[in-house]
């Protein structure tokens, strides 16, 4: 019974859902930005207004018509001569501006009205209020002011009109009110324009219908003095001189009182106190302007689309943090605009919208995950049933969560069985076996692998395959961190085996297989280290037997040469030919012995100076070079280049390279032997480079130069005839056994350069 692989969610469906939510939420959020929930906006505005404490204008003085004044001067309303005396008193005391917030709309005693009007005219700095009265029958409201006998001498008149928000709280003022077909200025607007310094900014001249009042605090923040105290001369002139004096009703129940953001009590701010707060805001330039609909929409859409982008690129927990962060940014930006820019940009609709949209997206994602989990768990349960594993749950569970929990339990049980089966199979293998993930990190190892790597004291789980294999210190191999290579570009996912020889004589064959999961995605590696020490020993015995054969080959050839040297009468041509064949056979036997020693015989490592060995090799080939008039130059080597090696094997290695250089070089040429120390990824190396001026060879020939019995013949040259093709094979085997490498660089007609690189040995401090 086969089961199809799980169908992955289509990205296009998720993107379509995201796009639909983005469009709908943008339209809804813009609508809320243009028509925000005013009650919630007002709550936040009141909080910011109360937190925006500032000093009150010290030039403002309120003269209270309070309970004390009523007790001393009698019941309200007072006669007009009392008000005339107050105007004269304030004028004499040097008041800069007098805002008399009392409406004298009814004609009184003509003499007293005349006296009050003359006092106002003498002062020349008194401003009187007007009110909008209902004209009835659908007619526009009419403006009602003081009688002409009183108002004609006033410095200015204006409407004392109060604007209420939907919740009945006063937060704003209108610089102008519509009265019929004309606009009537507010009383405070008139006072501000008449008394502001020349060139000072006037926010009442803008296009804003209303301005939000930046209350400095409750009414008590301004200086107050009782009406009766001023009238009786009890108030010092310094309290009045140069001040803007507001005169109005403050006694409880005597006049209207209005709720404001800074006065929770509905009867705590009277009209004259409200006018003083408005004038303070106008003079300070801190009147708050409501943001326009386009500004609110841009602010909302910016935060919304930041959140929507986060939905696409961030995980759920990060999106939760992003939602909270954007809400805090919106609140902070609104507060900064209010306190620093005097602009009211409410974030309430934006913050609530972001939270609702985040919930909708989260619920949608949760629903998709729930559907996917249900399908996958049902599929696993079907696999378990099909294989006779476990007991199927009832067809009808109490709820969806219970069904999913039942399926999940079956899946875990099945996965645990598979894990145990895989572990048993892995640990039963006789060879060391490692299982790694796609990044080359070990996730499982059998008992043989643990025993193999135990001396290195490396934690297997989590270590890289390259580090583990390098910890065995294989001779001639150094694996980079990205080993094994990714097989995407290879035709097969099974690599060629690699023979590893350890310093203790053991040998292993390294086999790697790349594995994939059911969706053909990379899953990791299986690495097997098969112990081939017995096979290697057998090969070594074969080589030893071969050495015995080569020894038996040497004796007859030596005897032939001896007979030729002592037997007279042999023709010279025949004698030379027989001697050449015998010498060739001896060279072949010597080559076999040397190659076998380099490949099989354990080397005895000890600190040796590679520079001294190079000098010895130069001395050994000197007679040959002298015969052909070839000069050998040594570059470097003034300081010791200490390596760990077998002196005899390394000397034979350099002699072979120098001998080839002498043999291939034309007469009168120069051979250069360069000794140096170079850095590398695995540590410093001691390098010996031998360069000749011979005919060289092609890139294809260079790749096969180190193969046994490889010989290169050149027309017009006889230097290849005397060789057997084992010298370079010996060089490579010897260098590899010493943990180094040898390379060749050449081109036809420019000579060849062979470079031997061996790990540099540094002598540590004595214990």
């Amino acid at each position: 019974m086969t089961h199809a692989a799980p169908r992955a969610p289509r990205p296009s469906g998720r993107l379509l859902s995201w796009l639909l939510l983005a469009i709908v939420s943008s339209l809804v959020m813009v609508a809320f930005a243009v028509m925000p929930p005013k009650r919630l906006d007002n709550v936040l505005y009141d909080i910011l207004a109360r937190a925006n404490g500032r000093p009150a204008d010290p030039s403002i003085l309120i003269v209270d018509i309070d309970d004390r004044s009523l007790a001393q001067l009698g019941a309200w309303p007072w006669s007009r001569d009392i008000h005339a005396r107050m105007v004269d008193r304030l004028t004499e005391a040097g008041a800069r501006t007098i805002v008399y917030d009392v409406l004298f709309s009814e004609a009184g005693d003509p003499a007293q009205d005349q006296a009050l009007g003359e006092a106002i005219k003498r002062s020349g700095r008194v401003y009187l209020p007007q009110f909008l009265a209902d004209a009835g029958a659908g007619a526009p409201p009419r403006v009602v002011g003081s009688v002409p006998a009183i108002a004609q001498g006033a410095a200015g008149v204006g409407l004392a009109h109060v604007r209420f928000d939907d919740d009945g709280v006063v937060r704003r003022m209108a610089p102008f009110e519509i009265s019929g077909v004309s606009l009537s200025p507010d009383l405070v607007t008139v006072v501000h324009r008449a008394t502001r310094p020349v060139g000072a900014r006037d926010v009442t001249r803008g296009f804003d219908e209303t301005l939000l009042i930046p209350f400095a605090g409750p009414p008590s923040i301004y200086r107050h003095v009782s009406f009766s105290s001023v009238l009786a001369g009890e108030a010092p002139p310094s309290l009045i001189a140069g001040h803007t004096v507001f005169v109005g009703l403050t006694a409880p129940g005597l006049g209207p009182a209005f709720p404001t953001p800074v006065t929770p009590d509905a009867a705590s701010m009277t009209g004259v106190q409200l006018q003083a707060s408005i004038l303070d805001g106008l003079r300070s330039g801190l009147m708050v302007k409501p943001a326009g609909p386009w500004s609110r929409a841009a602010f909302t859409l910016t935060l919304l689309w930041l959140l929507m982008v986060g939905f696409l690129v961030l995980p759920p927990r990060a999106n939760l943090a992003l939602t909270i962060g954007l809400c805090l940014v919106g609140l902070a930006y609104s507060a900064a605009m209010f306190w620093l820019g005097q602009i009211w940009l409410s974030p309430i609709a934006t913050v609530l919208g972001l939270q609702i949209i985040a919930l909708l997206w989260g619920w949608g994602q949760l629903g998709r995950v729930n559907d996917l989990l249900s399908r996958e768990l049902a599929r696993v349960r079907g696999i378990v049933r099909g294989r006779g594993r476990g007991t199927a749950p009832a067809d009808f569970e109490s709820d969806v969560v219970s069904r999913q929990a039942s399926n999940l339990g079956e899946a875990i049980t099945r996965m645990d069985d598979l894990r145990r089966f895989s572990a048993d199979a892995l640990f039963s293998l006789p060879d060391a076996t490692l299982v790694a993930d796609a990044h080359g990190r070990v996730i499982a190892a059998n008992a043989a692998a643990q025993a193999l790597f135990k001396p290195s004291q490396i934690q297997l789980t989590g270590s890289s395959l390259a580090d583990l294999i390098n910890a065995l210190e294989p001779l001639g191999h150094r694996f980079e961190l990205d080993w094994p290579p990714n097989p995407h570009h290879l035709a097969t996912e099974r690599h060629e085996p690699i023979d590893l020889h350890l310093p203790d004589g053991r040998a292993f064959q390294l086999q790697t297989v790349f594995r994939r999961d059911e969706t053909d995605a990379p899953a990791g590696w299986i690495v097997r280290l098969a112990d081939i020490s017995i096979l290697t020993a057998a090969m070594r015995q074969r080589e030893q037997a071969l050495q015995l054969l080569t020894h038996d080959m040497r004796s007859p050839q030596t005897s032939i040469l001896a007979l030729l040297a002592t037997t007279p009468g042999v023709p010279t041509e025949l004698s030379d030919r027989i001697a050449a064949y015998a010498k060739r056979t001896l060279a072949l036997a010597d080559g076999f012995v040397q190659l076998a020693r380099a490949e099989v015989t354990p080397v005895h490592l000890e600190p040796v100076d590679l520079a001294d060995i190079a000098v010895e090799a130069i001395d050994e080939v000197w007679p040959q070079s002298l015969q052909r008039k070839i000069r050998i130059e040594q570059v470097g080597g003034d300081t010791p280049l200490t390596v760990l090696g077998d002196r005899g094997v390394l000397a034979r290695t350099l002699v072979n390279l120098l001998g080839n250089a002498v043999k291939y070089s034309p007469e009168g040429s120069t051979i250069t032997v360069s000794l140096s120390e170079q850095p590398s990824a695995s540590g410093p190396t001691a390098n010996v480079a031998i360069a000749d001026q011979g005919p060289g060879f092609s890139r294809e020939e260079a790749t096969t130069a180190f193969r046994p019995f490889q010989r290169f013949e050149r027309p017009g040259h006889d230097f290849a005839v005397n060789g057997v093709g084992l010298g370079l094979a010996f060089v490579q085997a010897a260098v590899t056994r010493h943990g180094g490498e040898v390379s060749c660089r050449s081109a036809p007609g420019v000579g060849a350069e062979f470079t031997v690189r061996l790990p540099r040995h540094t002598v540590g401090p004595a214990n």
Side-chain angles (χ1 to χ4, degrees), residues 485-500:
N486 196 309
H488 289 320
H489 62 285
L490 300 180
T492 177
E493 296 183 354
R494 184 184 299 273
H495 291 185
E496 291 296 328
I498 301 175
D499 290 343
L500 302 179

Side-chain angles (χ1 to χ4, degrees), residues 691-704:
D692 60 47
Q693 297 175 341
F697 36 80
S698 65
R699 179 180 301 178
E700 292 76 13
E701 292 174 333
T703 58
T704 62

